[in-house]
């Protein structure tokens, strides 16, 4: 009987104590989250002051932070870079003076939303003269049916603190696997840190980390418990560091290209479903933006991992569709007197696999090569520009 | 309330258990408390059906008392009441829709929500009435009868209890005294069951619906899709039902009450007769004792035996649900059982010896595949979907290997493609993760010893088959507490989905 007694005590207390510890830590982390987007306001104010690297959690929802930053930067810029995460590698220093840019690209932001944002800025912010807009074919954005979504980019206001979910629901959430995975990352960060106590204190009891320096000398501060000390986030110009993501290696490049070009991949399906025909409604709306702009409007087809677009162009099922897209955009660009930088075959600009984090997310260094070449060779072109 | 919910695990179960043993000195009150808690457990799902459950219990108790006092003719009315209740709530729609189809009328009744566990508590009480009629049951205290029917570990999805097994345990004084050996055995079985449900059954469940729903969306699943869907469901149902049975037995053991075994490695069966001795064992026992044997069993000649088997299995199928898919599932098992009995008879007549390991392997594989084919009907929403999946499994919808396996398979994939294998888009993309889940779960179901063999030294359940004990024997020591605690911990942190058990729908 004694054996059973000890067994029962151990069986209840081992998971019980671990669960209690998890509950306590996760509920403290949740308390520290502040709620109502407060961290986005804190992060934006900090970036305004320091010009450093930061972001507000979660990294997958960037709209509030980016809108705060855009409004803060409006008095000093005249160029806005739009788009989704594919365009986040574009930096302000890729554009010659007098262009002063802010990268307003947000996660998962399709072209239909971009058009609404550009229209709002044209209507409300007269100092913004230049518009940099990506035309993603690979993510289906250029083919999407429907009308542009109107946007409101007025300065966001801090939401009133609302009473959260009931205690039992918060307990359940604190015990959920995603929260526990997050906690493991947090604890791992503390263990790796040189100043463990200070790190633990800031993680659990302060809304952000302390300021630290990145390899390029920039100052950074993390308002999330994820990716701490990695310089993950957005620079002062709105571009992303992608510091939390692994780079593509040469070894994995062939399988990545193959996976992208099989019939069931999202890239193939974008071509297959649309037959390469850009949405007329999107082109019309973009034409209105071009005509309404006081300065330059530059469109670009975002870079894809080296070899990917070339493979699409070699596949009988997709080659014609992709060529059709480009021919249609070329004709449209010439008609509207705008240039479309075609960076799809990124290898033509000298981009390497290691300058990507996946098939369609290029880093700063690749974009730098693309725009350097563009300003040198293609700045005066109309229609599609791509190096030979 | 679900066994795999935070509310049950952290509030209902400990609360009920503590009060039960605090009241233990007053047995009647403790039993009453357990019955009350069981009603709360049931009412948490839909309080509107608690009165129905209580009505069923009161009426059956009254019939039982009257029949026990000699008014034997009341049995017919008792059975009519139970079958009427079941018929109205479970089969009225099915009956009317088929009648409408046959006659061209348009008779309709309003929406009827199937009360949870109605098939289980009705069968439990039918057995009681029949046994009272046969003078095989005596009159019990109402509190104990109430607890016998409502007892929450079994109320919603079995095991189907027999009063002979339960009433003596409710009357036993020692039941109301907390015992650490019961807690250690009960908690261990419960954590194993919780792990099976949360990690294994729910882990594979996501792939089942797209394959079985493909036909309704105008898509025909191809060979790989169809097999993966059918095997995923085969695994999901196995681990889901096994999990529920384990959890019910484990929880009950915490209260000092041992339930009958209900699930005993059925995919390790070498024939369909054995399969039914291992799958939903208490239902098999009920059908045998209260349907097959009263119909004549095997006592009235071979032909009659096959008829009885078929009738029993068809009704067994219909018990699971009001639909032709369930009827066909039952019919298929009836045919399997008839073939199995005929083969045994032929084998005996011709003196064919057992074929050793190879024969056993062949028999187990054939049994498993037959069961998988029948599960397709069991799972499908309608006959069209079932036949669509079966056509896919036979390759009639084409044989396409999902193309995103091509880059993952590297040179092997390239070699296959160059030798004529067709890689392309499939309607319901099978990921490598799902295929891995399937083979891991099948390996567990085929080769791993079940918890009742592992815990065989501690009488984990009633009516356990006599089998060699497993090499792996559970003992209440550190070597066991760590892995069992880990199973419990990982299950709890994955419980955020709280999915219902598949057998709740029956």
């Amino acid at each position: 009987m004694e054996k059973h007694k000890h067994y029962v005590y151990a069986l209840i207390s081992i998971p019980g104590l671990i669960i209690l510890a998890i509950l306590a830590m996760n509920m403290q982390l949740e308390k520290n989250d502040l709620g109502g987007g407060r961290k986005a306001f804190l992060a934006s104010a900090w970036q305004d002051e320091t010009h450093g690297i930061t972001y507000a959690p979660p990294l997958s929802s960037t709209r509030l932070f980016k809108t705060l930053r855009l409004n803060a930067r409006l008095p000093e810029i005249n160029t806005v870079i739009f788009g989704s995460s594919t365009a986040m590698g574009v930096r302000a220093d890729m554009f010659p003076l007098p262009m002063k840019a802010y990268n307003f690209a947000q996660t998962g932001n399709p072209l239909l939303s971009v058009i609404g944002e550009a229209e709002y800025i044209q209507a409300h912010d007269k100092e913004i003269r230049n518009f940099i807009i990506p035309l993603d074919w690979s993510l289906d954005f250029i083919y999407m049916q429907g009308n542009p979504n109107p946007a409101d980019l007025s300065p966001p206001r801090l939401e009133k603190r609302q009473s959260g979910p009931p205690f039992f629901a918060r307990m359940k959430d604190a015990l959920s696997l995603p929260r526990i995975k997050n906690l493991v990352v947090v604890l791992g960060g503390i263990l790796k840190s040189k100043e463990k106590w200070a790190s633990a204190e800031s993680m659990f009891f302060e809304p952000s980390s302390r300021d630290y320096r990145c390899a390029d000398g920039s100052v950074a501060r993390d308002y999330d418990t994820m990716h701490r000390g990695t310089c993950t986030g957005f620079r002062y110009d709105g571009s992303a560091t992608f510091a939390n993501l692994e780079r593509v290696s040469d070894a994995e490049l062939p399988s990545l290209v193959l996976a992208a070009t099989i019939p069931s991949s999202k890239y193939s399906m974008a071509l297959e479903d649309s037959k390469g025909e850009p949405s007329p409604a999107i082109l019309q709306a973009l034409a209105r933006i071009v005509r309404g702009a006081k300065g330059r409007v530059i469109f670009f087809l975002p870079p894809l991992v080296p070899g990917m677009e070339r493979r699409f162009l070699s596949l009988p099922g997709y080659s014609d569709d992709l060529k059709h897209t480009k021919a249609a955009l070329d004709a449209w660009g010439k008609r509207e007197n705008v240039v479309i930088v075609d960076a799809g075959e990124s290898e033509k600009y000298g981009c390497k696999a290691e300058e990507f984090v996946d098939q369609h997310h290029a880093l700063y260094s690749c974009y730098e090569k693309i725009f350097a070449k563009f300003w040198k060779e293609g700045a005066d072109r109309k229609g599609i520009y791509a190096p030979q | 309330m679900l066994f795999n919910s935070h509310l049950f695990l952290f509030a209902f179960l400990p609360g009920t258990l503590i009060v039960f043993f605090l009241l233990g000195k007053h047995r009647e009150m403790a039993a009453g408390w357990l019955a009350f808690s069981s009603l709360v457990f049931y009412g948490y799902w839909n309080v509107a059906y608690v009165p129905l459950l209580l009505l069923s219990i009161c009426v059956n108790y009254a019939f039982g008392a009257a029949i026990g006092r000699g008014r034997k003719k009341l049995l017919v009315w008792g059975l009519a009441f139970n079958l009427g209740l079941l018929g109205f709530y479970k089969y009225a729609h099915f009956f009317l829709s088929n009648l409408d189809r046959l006659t061209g009328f348009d008779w309709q009744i309003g929406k009827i929500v199937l009360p949870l566990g109605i098939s289980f508590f009705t069968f439990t009480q039918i057995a009681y009435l029949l046994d009272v009629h046969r003078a095989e049951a005596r009159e019990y205290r109402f509190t104990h009868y109430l607890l016998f029917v409502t007892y929450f570990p079994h109320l919603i999805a079995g095991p189907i209890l027999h009063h002979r097994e339960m009433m003596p345990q409710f009357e036993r004084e020692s039941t109301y005294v907390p015992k650490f050996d019961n807690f250690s055995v009960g908690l261990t079985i419960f954590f194993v069951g919780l792990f099976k449900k949360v990690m294994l059954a729910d882990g594979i469940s996501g792939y089942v619906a797209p394959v079985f729903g493909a036909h309704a969306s105008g898509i025909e699943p191809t060979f790989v899709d169809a097999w993966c869907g059918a095997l995923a469901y085969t695994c999901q149902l196995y681990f889901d039902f096994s999990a529920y049975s384990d959890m019910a037995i484990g929880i009950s053991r915490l209260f000092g009450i041992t339930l009958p075994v209900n699930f005993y490695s059925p995919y390790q069966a070498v024939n369909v007769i054995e399969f039914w001795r291992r799958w939903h064992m208490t239902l098999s026992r009920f059908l045998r004792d209260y349907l097959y044997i009263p119909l004549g069993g095997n006592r009235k000649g071979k032909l009659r035996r096959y008829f009885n088997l078929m009738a029993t299995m068809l009704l067994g199928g219909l018990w699971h649900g009001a639909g032709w898919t369930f009827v066909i599932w039952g019919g298929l098992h009836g045919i399997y059982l008839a073939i199995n009995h005929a083969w045994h008879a032929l084998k005996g007549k011709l003196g064919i010896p057992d074929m050793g390991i190879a024969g056993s392997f062949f028999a187990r594989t054939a049994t498993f595949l037959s069961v998988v084919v029948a599960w397709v009907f069991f799972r499908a929403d309608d006959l069209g979907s079932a036949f669509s999946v079966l056509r896919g499994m036979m390759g009639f919808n084409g044989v396409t290997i999902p193309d995103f396996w091509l880059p993952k398979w590297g040179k092997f994939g390239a070699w296959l493609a160059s030798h004529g294998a067709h890689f392309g888009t499939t309607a319901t993309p099978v990921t490598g993760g799902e295929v891995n889940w399937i083979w891991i779960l099948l390996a567990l179901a085929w080769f791993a010893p079940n918890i009742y063999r592992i815990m065989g030294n501690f009488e984990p359940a009633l009516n356990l088959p006599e089998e060699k004990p497993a090499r792996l024997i559970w003992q209440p020591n550190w070597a066991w507490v760590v892995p069992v605690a880990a199973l419990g911990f990982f299950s709890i942190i994955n419980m955020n989905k709280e999915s219902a058990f598949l057998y709740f729908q029956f």
Side-chain angles (χ1 to χ4, degrees):
Chain A
M1 192 56 74
E2 278 301 295
K3 273 186 175 180
H4 285 283
K5 189 174 169 182
H6 294 147
Y7 181 89
V8 170
Y9 285 150
L11 192 54
I12 293 173
S13 57
I14 293 172
L17 288 174
I18 298 172
I19 283 169
L20 275 178
I22 289 171
L23 268 179
M25 286 189 279
N26 266 344
M27 289 183 94
Q28 180 56 36
L29 283 175
E30 188 213 347
K31 193 177 163 192
N32 220 11
D33 182 46
L34 307 180
R38 280 172 172 72
K39 284 204 172 181
F41 284 86
L42 288 174
S44 175
W46 177 86
Q47 193 171 60
D48 224 19
E49 198 179 303
T50 62
H51 295 199
I53 296 169
T54 190
Y55 79 96
L59 192 48
S60 57
S61 171
T62 49
R63 187 165 188 83
L64 176 60
F65 176 75
K66 281 286 185 112
T67 309
L68 282 166
R69 295 307 308 137
L70 176 70
N71 278 284
R73 297 291 315 274
L74 277 175
E76 57 194 38
I77 60 168
N78 58 16
T79 302
V80 175
I81 302 153
F82 295 88
S84 65
S85 56
T86 52
M88 282 180 180
V90 182
R91 287 188 66 170
D93 60 10
M94 293 170 193
F95 301 92
L97 288 171
M99 292 173 84
K100 295 176 191 167
Y102 178 73
N103 187 327
F104 185 55
Q106 300 146 63
T107 316
N109 201 35
L111 191 51
L112 286 170
S113 300
V114 163
I115 291 168
E117 291 160 3
E119 284 172 345
Y120 179 93
I121 287 175
Q122 275 192 333
H124 292 82
D125 303 301
K126 305 296 177 197
E127 297 306 314
I128 303 298
R129 305 171 60 81
N130 311 306
F131 296 78
I132 316 297
I133 300 175
L135 304 176
D136 270 296
W137 70 261
S138 63
L139 297 179
D140 193 36
F141 289 169
I142 188 74
Y143 308 122
M144 272 185 180
Q145 297 303 307
N147 294 315
N149 311 317
D152 177 7
L153 301 180
S154 56
R157 287 187 188 158
L158 196 57
E159 281 176 29
K160 277 188 180 171
R161 210 179 277 270
Q162 290 172 339
S163 58
F167 182 74
F168 191 72
R170 283 169 48 219
M171 265 179 65
K172 259 175 78 170
D173 178 55
L175 268 183
S176 67
L177 192 60
R179 292 288 308 277
I180 292 173
K181 281 182 179 170
N182 179 37
L183 183 64
V184 171
V185 174
V186 167
L187 295 177
I190 293 171
L191 286 177
K192 279 183 206 158
S193 162
K194 284 176 190 165
E195 295 173 39
K196 293 184 175 49
W197 283 114
S199 170
E201 195 183 348
S202 82
M203 288 277 195
F204 287 104
F205 299 102
E206 290 167 15
S208 70
S209 71
R210 288 158 199 184
D211 292 0
Y212 61 96
R213 291 277 166 193
C214 303
D216 65 356
S218 312
V219 64
R221 180 181 272 199
D222 305 309
Y223 279 84
D224 195 359
T225 49
M226 304 293 283
H227 320 304
R228 282 215 174 174
T230 58
C231 294
T232 294
F234 301 104
R235 299 181 189 93
Y236 185 62
D237 65 4
S239 63
T241 62
F242 290 124
N244 58 318
L245 301 171
E246 297 262 330
R247 275 50 177 156
V248 171
S249 70
D250 285 338
E252 64 183 320
L253 184 62
S255 64
L256 218 56
V257 170
L258 184 58
T261 52
I262 57 173
S264 60
S265 84
K266 59 184 171 191
Y267 312 104
S268 308
M269 284 164 97
L271 287 172
E272 175 72 30
D273 294 346
S274 65
K275 300 293 168 209
E277 185 67 47
S279 154
I282 284 179
L283 293 183
Q284 278 170 22
L286 290 174
R288 282 197 300 273
I289 291 168
V290 171
R291 287 169 210 151
K294 292 177 192 160
R296 285 199 72 154
V297 180
I298 300 170
F299 295 99
F300 66 98
L301 302 180
L304 299 171
V305 77
M308 177 169 152
E309 193 165 289
R310 202 177 334 143
R311 183 166 163 81
F312 269 114
L313 289 167
S314 71
L315 293 170
Y318 306 114
S319 170
D320 289 347
D321 296 338
L322 187 51
K323 282 177 184 162
H324 177 71
T325 300
K326 296 202 175 182
L329 289 177
D330 186 48
W332 175 83
K334 283 176 176 153
R335 203 163 55 239
E336 299 297 336
N337 279 324
V338 283
V339 63
I340 301 158
V341 184
D342 180 3
E345 287 184 74
S346 62
E347 61 274 26
K348 285 185 177 175
Y349 295 87
C351 292
K352 303 271 191 300
E354 67 202 22
E355 289 169 320
F356 285 80
V357 293
D358 59 22
Q359 284 106 330
H360 64 273
H361 283 103
L363 298 176
Y364 159 73
S365 57
C366 175
Y367 272 111
E368 192 177 36
K369 292 172 190 168
I370 291 163
F371 280 100
K373 210 158 196 134
F374 163 69
W375 290 117
K376 198 173 165 190
E377 297 176 358
D380 300 325
R381 295 273 188 92
K382 305 295 173 214
I384 291 264
Y385 158 75
Q388 294 309 306
Chain B
M1 202 181 304
L2 296 167
F3 292 165
N4 52 326
S5 68
H6 293 85
L7 184 64
F8 177 83
L9 210 55
F10 295 121
F12 180 85
L13 182 61
T16 307
L17 199 62
I18 289 166
V19 177
F20 177 74
F21 285 118
L22 284 176
L23 294 173
K25 282 185 182 167
H26 314 281
R27 280 187 282 160
E28 207 62 16
M29 278 174 73
W33 162 254
L34 199 47
F36 170 76
S37 302
S38 299
L39 289 171
V40 171
F41 175 85
Y42 187 76
Y44 187 81
W45 166 70
N46 187 345
V47 76
Y49 284 110
V50 174
L52 179 81
L53 175 63
L54 285 173
L55 174 79
S56 168
I57 290 168
C58 292
V59 170
N60 276 294
Y61 185 74
F63 271 121
I67 295 166
R69 287 188 206 114
R71 299 179 68 184
K72 301 265 181 186
K73 285 180 183 168
L74 281 177
L75 174 70
V76 178
W77 289 103
L79 292 179
F81 169 76
N82 283 300
L83 295 175
L85 211 62
L86 196 59
F88 176 74
Y89 280 102
K90 195 160 179 174
Y91 301 106
H93 268 300
F94 177 64
F95 178 73
L96 280 182
S97 64
N98 282 290
L99 198 65
D100 286 350
R101 207 172 294 167
L102 280 174
T103 60
F105 290 129
D106 187 22
W107 287 325
Q108 287 181 355
I109 46 172
K111 192 184 174 196
I112 301 171
V113 179
L114 184 69
L116 211 56
I118 190 169
S119 309
F120 289 94
F121 67 71
T122 306
F123 269 35
T124 302
Q125 297 187 97
I126 286 176
Y128 169 70
L129 291 186
L130 287 168
D131 283 353
V132 173
H133 186 261
R134 295 171 186 167
E136 289 174 6
R138 60 185 173 81
E139 192 177 343
Y140 302 106
R141 285 169 191 244
F142 180 72
T143 321
H144 288 176
Y145 183 78
L146 178 70
L147 179 57
F148 160 61
V149 180
T150 60
Y151 187 41
F152 75 87
H154 91 110
L155 175 61
I156 295 178
I160 298 173
L161 300 182
H162 200 281
H163 57 92
R164 265 202 303 270
E165 292 160 347
M166 303 312 295
M167 292 305 190
Q169 297 194 70
F170 293 145
E171 287 165 356
R172 196 174 57 198
E173 198 172 336
S174 61
T175 298
Y176 300 88
V177 180
K179 289 196 191 79
F180 277 104
D181 55 347
N182 282 338
F183 291 154
S184 64
V185 171
L187 278 174
T188 302
I189 300 175
F190 178 76
F191 278 155
V192 169
L194 188 64
F195 185 80
K196 282 182 188 170
K197 169 64 181 164
V198 176
M199 303 298 288
L200 306 185
D202 288 352
I204 192 76
S205 64
Y207 188 61
V208 178
V211 172
F212 281 87
H215 178 72
S217 317
I219 297 163
E220 298 299 311
T222 54
F223 184 78
V224 177
D225 278 340
W227 270 104
C228 286
L231 289 174
Y233 181 65
T234 300
C235 293
Q236 186 201 0
L237 185 63
Y238 178 96
F239 283 100
D240 195 275
F241 191 35
S242 168
Y244 182 88
S245 301
D246 290 351
M247 287 159 90
I249 286 169
I251 293 165
S252 183
R253 188 60 176 261
L254 298 177
F255 291 91
I257 292 163
T258 311
L259 294 185
V261 63
N262 203 30
F263 198 91
Y264 198 85
S265 306
Y267 292 164
Q268 293 178 12
V270 292
N271 56 52
V272 176
I273 298 171
E274 195 190 337
F275 173 82
W276 278 105
R277 287 183 188 140
R278 290 167 174 261
W279 181 280
H280 208 172
M281 298 154 83
T282 55
L283 176 69
S284 301
R285 177 179 68 175
F286 179 92
L287 292 174
R288 182 196 66 204
D289 292 350
Y290 298 100
L291 194 59
Y292 177 69
I293 291 175
L295 281 172
N298 57 5
R299 302 183 308 273
K300 297 188 176 176
K302 279 181 193 168
L303 211 60
R304 181 65 187 267
R305 174 198 210 168
Y306 296 134
F307 171 81
N308 292 340
L309 269 176
M310 201 56 166
T312 304
M313 293 315 291
L314 283 172
L315 286 171
L318 207 53
W319 175 86
H320 282 87
W324 288 109
T325 50
F326 289 111
V327 175
I328 292 182
W329 172 77
L332 272 177
H333 273 280
I335 293 168
Y336 295 161
L337 284 170
I339 292 171
N340 203 169
H341 281 290
W343 166 246
H344 279 186
L346 188 71
K347 231 172 89 170
K349 204 171 177 180
L350 300 177
I352 301 170
D354 287 335
M355 286 184 287
I357 295 173
S360 169
F361 174 77
F362 174 78
R364 190 185 282 199
T365 308
T367 304
F368 177 74
L369 291 177
S370 310
V371 169
V372 172
V373 168
W375 284 146
V376 172
F377 287 96
F378 194 79
R379 170 60 180 81
D381 296 326
D382 49 54
L383 291 178
S385 301
F387 286 118
S388 164
V389 174
L390 286 175
R391 276 196 304 273
M393 288 165 75
M394 287 187 280
F396 294 152
N397 296 338
V399 180
T400 302
I401 305 170
D403 56 8
F404 50 81
W405 288 0
L406 186 59
K408 287 180 184 165
W409 286 357
K411 285 178 183 167
F412 176 63
W415 181 84
L416 279 180
S418 66
H419 284 75
H422 178 237
F423 287 86
T425 46
T426 51
T428 48
V430 190
T431 66
E434 276 143 359
V435 173
N436 286 336
W437 259 122
I438 289 171
W439 73 256
I440 289 168
L441 295 187
L442 286 180
L444 280 173
W446 283 333
F447 304 114
N450 61 54
I451 190 68
Y452 308 104
R453 283 185 67 198
I454 293 172
M455 302 192 76
N457 291 348
F458 296 87
E459 207 196 343
L462 303 174
N463 310 330
L464 285 169
E466 281 189 17
E467 239 189 339
K468 271 197 304 187
R471 284 184 197 164
L472 202 63
I473 297 288
W474 177 84
Q475 290 292 335
N477 57 27
W478 280 102
W480 278 96
V481 80
V482 173
V484 174
L487 293 185
F489 173 72
F490 283 110
S491 306
I492 289 166
I493 65 171
N494 279 282
M495 261 179 10
N496 39 338
K497 279 181 288 185
E498 285 188 13
S499 63
F501 291 92
L502 294 176
Y503 259 71
F504 276 21
Q505 62 188 296
F506 308 134

